[in-house]
């Protein structure tokens, strides 16, 4: 079966003065139509660079070194710039964390949504405005006929993110990449936006790649997730299984360091679990497993060489020597 | 607990802070009549969404901004009128840590200069004494004292937050106002800083006002929690009670909106419609009524006060059980 998006062996490196940064290092994953997949990890793990690589939005000193990005059967890594401009927006759209910096402050939101429609679908000004109103209605912006004349600064953070989503969906893409879409928003507004994304995915059969550092957000929204650490996927799993039984020591550490709601008195008195140490310098990654220096289960062989992803069940894989009885991918 | 330990360290009553709006007679009612107590060695959590006034409350306590009206007592004496020397003396007792460990440390100063600055301002100790004290402080927050001569850019976010904490501890304060101290940090590092803050509290008997929008972290670290909405406190309770049986509809909605890192938990989510109204012209009566799923017509007429609805539990909703017979706070 062919996937909507399939990324294989993707490597995006940055040549910096401090040395070579392997921001994305041999990343493979796929998304099917109507599926929501999470890409989770802490800052600097390469999750956003992975998304930007898919969109071919990497600028120097960054470079896609190797790998393939196949969308609807078409290879994107060597597509022409003209072709990529068509793909962006029409096929794959993206929204970002901060809707204020992604919107142009000197144009009304109506003009900005219309612009995408006129560029990609060659609509007239009038038609585009009508469509823009419809797009705003779909993302539940109240009285869109009036709101269309507002400038970004007149809208709240949540409304701006809705405008971004309306703009992203204006050309009816098959895949939406949402990079930390709710991180800048308050929890009650976050709940509204997540509900909206979930609804759109059902009504439009939209596939969503949700990039976030918040394990709570993925637990409630995605079907499958990939956990990243220092440029590599360390674990891939359906969401329920991952939370029920995290396999990689990093995933386990991450889940345990999140404070739970409704703690018991004993839990409150206890210290939170932490992952010792800090993320290694990206220009001087340790040999072998990158997590080894912080890992409570470290063995000598962890530092001996590249650790492959082991396929531990039909739909789960883990990059850790503890699972070396399984086949590697 | 006996009476002496229950004397509040800080007693805030009817604190108001209005900011003028440029070219207009309007005011932003950032904090609009807030009362609470902080006890010695205790952590009070202050939660709410952006713009609810929680940071303004913290800054008023330190007199980093001047309150419009109301009273703030520290160890029994009024501090809103203090000036000059006595204000400076007060600030030894109260320190602050900020959210962003990148912008709150001067990039051109060494760690020694940053951490020793409070000592210098208050003229405490000779330079060798200060060196010794900075080394001790760095050790306390889990940093190698040899880092003293380094600069902020050489440290990670979590380490920078530790430096900020060391600076706050330099004068042996009794109260630390922690304004979103872990919000900018990754989860694994967040836990390290929260643990450090708890260890320091146990060791030094510090009281914290822990301001945050991260409800789970606040629950973990706080003894009591106050919830703010649009410049008012809507609920105060012991943290375990607040989280297990919230009394105010806003607290309920806020708690139900937190995504839980467990896909098997499917909760009844209360999704609030709309946005927070502007604090320039807040709704009449109860300020939450425009988004409240339980609002009734009379909520527009009656401005609810924070009342004791059960022993040690306060709610500002006229429909909270026990509100009618409840004693007002303070």
């Amino acid at each position: 079966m062919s996937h909507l998006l399939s990324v294989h062996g993707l490597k995006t490196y940055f040549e910096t003065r401090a040395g070579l940064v392997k921001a994305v290092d041999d990343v493979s994953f796929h998304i099917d139509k109507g599926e929501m997949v999470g890409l989770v990890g802490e800052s600097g793990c390469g999750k956003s660079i992975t998304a930007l690589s898919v969109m071919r939005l990497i600028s120097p000193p960054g470079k896609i070194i190797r790998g393939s990005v196949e969308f609807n059967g078409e290879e994107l890594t060597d597509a022409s710039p003209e072709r990529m401009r068509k793909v962006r927006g029409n096929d794959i759209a993206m929204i970002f964390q901060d809707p204020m910096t992604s919107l142009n402050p000197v144009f009304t939101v109506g003009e900005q949504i219309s612009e995408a429609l006129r560029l990609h679908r060659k609509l007239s000004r009038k038609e585009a405005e009508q469509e823009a109103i419809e797009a705003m209605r779909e993302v539940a912006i109240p009285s869109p006929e009036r709101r269309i004349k507002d400038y970004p600064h007149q809208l709240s953070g949540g409304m701006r993110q809705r405008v971004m989503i309306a703009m992203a969906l204006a050309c009816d893409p098959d895949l939406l990449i949402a990079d930390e879409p709710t991180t800048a928003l308050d929890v009650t507004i976050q709940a509204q936006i997540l509900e909206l994304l979930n609804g759109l995915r059902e009504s439009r059969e939209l596939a969503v790649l949700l990039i976030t550092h918040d394990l709570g957000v993925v637990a409630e929204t995605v079907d499958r997730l990939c956990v990243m650490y220092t440029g590599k996927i360390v674990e891939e799993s359906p969401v329920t299984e991952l939370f029920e039984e995290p396999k990689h020591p990093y995933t386990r550490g991450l889940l345990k360091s999140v404070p739970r709601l409704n703690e018991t008195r004993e839990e409150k008195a206890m210290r939170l679990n932490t992952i010792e140490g800090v993320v290694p310098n990206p220009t001087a990654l340790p040999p072998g497993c990158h997590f080894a220096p912080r890992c409570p289960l470290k063995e000598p062989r962890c530092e001996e060489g590249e650790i492959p992803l082991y396929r531990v069940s039909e739909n789960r894989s883990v990059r850790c020597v503890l699972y070396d009885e399984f086949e590697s991918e | 607990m006996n009476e002496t330990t229950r004397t509040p360290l800080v007693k805030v009553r009817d604190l108001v802070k209005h900011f003028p709006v440029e070219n207009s007679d309007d005011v932003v009612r950032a904090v609009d009549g807030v009362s609470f107590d902080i006890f010695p060695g205790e952590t009070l959590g202050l939660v709410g969404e952006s713009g609810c006034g929680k940071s303004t409350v913290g800054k008023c306590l330190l007199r980093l901004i001047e309150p419009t009206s109301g009273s703030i007592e520290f160890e029994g004496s009024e501090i809103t009128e203090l000036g000059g020397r006595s204000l400076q003396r007060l600030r030894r007792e109260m320190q602050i840590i900020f959210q962003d460990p990148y912008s709150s440390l001067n990039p051109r100063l060494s760690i020694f200069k940053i951490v020793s600055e409070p000592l210098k301002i208050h003229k405490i100790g000779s330079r060798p004494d200060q060196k010794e004290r900075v080394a001790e402080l760095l050790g306390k927050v889990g940093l190698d004292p040899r880092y003293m001569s380094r600069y902020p850019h050489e440290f990670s976010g979590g380490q920078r937050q530790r430096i900020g904490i060391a600076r706050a501890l330099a004068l042996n304060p009794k109260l630390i106002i922690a304004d979103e101290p872990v919000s900018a940090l990754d989860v694994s590092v967040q836990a390290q800083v929260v643990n450090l803050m708890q260890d320091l509290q146990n060791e030094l008997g510090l009281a914290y006002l822990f301001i945050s929008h991260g409800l789970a972290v606040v629950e973990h670290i706080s003894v009591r929690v106050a919830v703010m909405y649009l410049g008012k406190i809507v609920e105060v309770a012991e943290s375990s009670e607040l989280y297990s049986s919230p009394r105010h509809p806003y607290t309920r909605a806020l708690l139900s909106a937190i995504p839980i890192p467990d896909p098997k938990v499917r909760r009844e989510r209360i999704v609030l419609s709309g946005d927070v109204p502007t604090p320039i012209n807040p709704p009449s009566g109860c300020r939450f009524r425009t988004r409240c799923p339980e609002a009734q017509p009379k909520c527009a007429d009656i401005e609810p006060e924070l009342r004791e609805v059960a022993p040690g539990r306060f709610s500002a909703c006229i429909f909270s059980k026990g509100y009618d017979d409840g004693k007002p706070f303070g």
Side-chain angles (χ1 to χ4, degrees), chain A residues 43 186 188 192 268 271, chain B residues 49-50 186 199 219 222 272:
Chain A
S43 34
D186 282 313
T188 60
Q192 294 172 358
K268 251 185 93 96
R271 296 162 58 88
Chain B
E49 298 181 280
S50 35
D186 277 317
D199 292 344
E219 182 193 18
S222 309
L272 291 179

Side-chain angles (χ1 to χ4, degrees), chain A residues 69-90:
Chain A
V69 175
E70 234 182 74
F71 185 78
N72 266 333
E74 181 187 358
E75 180 59 45
L76 297 184
T77 47
D78 53 14
S80 67
E82 294 74 39
R83 177 64 198 139
M84 275 316 293
R85 266 202 294 280
K86 290 232 163 62
V87 170
R88 293 184 207 118
N90 276 331

Side-chain angles (χ1 to χ4, degrees), chain B residues 142-156:
Chain B
L143 290 173
D144 190 330
R146 281 175 308 181
Y147 289 168
M148 221 187 272
S149 51
R150 297 199 183 177
Y151 288 82
H153 74 269
E154 298 174 74
F155 296 89
S156 69

Side-chain angles (χ1 to χ4, degrees), chain B residues 121-135:
Chain B
I121 290 169
H122 291 271
K123 301 190 179 66
I124 296 168
S126 60
R127 203 178 148 88
D129 292 343
Q130 291 178 354
K131 273 240 146 84
E132 201 177 304
R133 175 73 176 142
V134 171

Side-chain angles (χ1 to χ4, degrees), chain B residues 196-210:
Chain B
L196 171 67
M197 288 184 67
Q198 282 188 309
D199 292 344
L200 291 170
Q201 180 167 56
N202 293 338
E203 188 188 331
L204 307 170
L206 295 166
Y208 292 127
L209 177 65
F210 194 97

Side-chain angles (χ1 to χ4, degrees), chain A residues 25-43:
Chain A
D25 198 13
D26 202 7
V27 162
S28 306
F29 67 95
H30 67 270
I31 303 178
D32 290 321
K33 208 172 160 61
E35 195 182 27
M36 206 187 286
V37 174
L39 201 52
V40 185
E42 299 183 283
S43 34

Side-chain angles (χ1 to χ4, degrees), chain A residues 6 97 119 121 190 192 201 209 212 227 273 288 291 299:
Chain A
S6 90
Q97 170 170 345
L119 264 173
R121 291 191 13 212
Q190 166 169 284
Q192 294 172 358
R201 158 205 192 184
L209 178 65
T212 177
V227 180
N273 275 295
F291 186 62
E299 303 172 21

Side-chain angles (χ1 to χ4, degrees), chain A residues 41-44 156-159 183-192 194-195 213-217 219-221 239-241 243-244 250 253-255 257-263 265 267-279 294, chain B residues 48-51 156 159 185-192 194-196 198-199 213 215-223 238-241 243-244 250 253-255 257-267 269-276 291:
Chain A
E42 299 183 283
S43 34
S156 67
M159 280 302 153
T183 308
L185 306 174
D186 282 313
V187 277
T188 60
I189 308 298
Q190 166 169 284
Q192 294 172 358
L194 292 176
E195 202 181 58
H213 68 283
D214 190 329
L215 290 159
V217 168
E220 293 200 356
T221 47
V239 71
T240 357
E241 274 125 298
F243 282 87
E244 215 157 73
Y250 174 64
L254 211 51
L255 279 173
S257 48
V258 186
R260 303 280 159 154
L261 280 182
N262 292 318
E263 290 185 325
R265 246 168 237 279
E267 280 172 331
K268 251 185 93 96
M270 270 171 10
R271 296 162 58 88
L272 289 174
N273 275 295
T274 63
I275 302 176
E276 287 307 313
V278 293
V279 179
R294 304 175 75 188
Chain B
E49 298 181 280
S50 35
S156 69
Q159 288 172 320
L185 307 175
D186 277 317
V187 274
S188 69
V189 181
Q190 224 176 57
Q192 294 173 1
V194 168
N195 284 345
L196 171 67
Q198 282 188 309
D199 292 344
H213 68 280
L215 290 118
V217 176
V218 170
E219 182 193 18
H220 179 79
I221 199 167
S222 309
V223 177
E238 226 181 79
S239 81
S240 50
E241 287 179 13
Y243 284 77
S244 57
Y250 177 61
L254 201 57
L255 288 173
I258 309 171
I260 290 189
D262 185 350
K264 279 182 303 179
V265 182
R266 284 282 167 223
R267 285 168 310 162
R269 167 156 300 157
I270 309 163
V271 175
L272 291 179
S273 56
D275 290 311
V276 182
R291 299 174 79 201

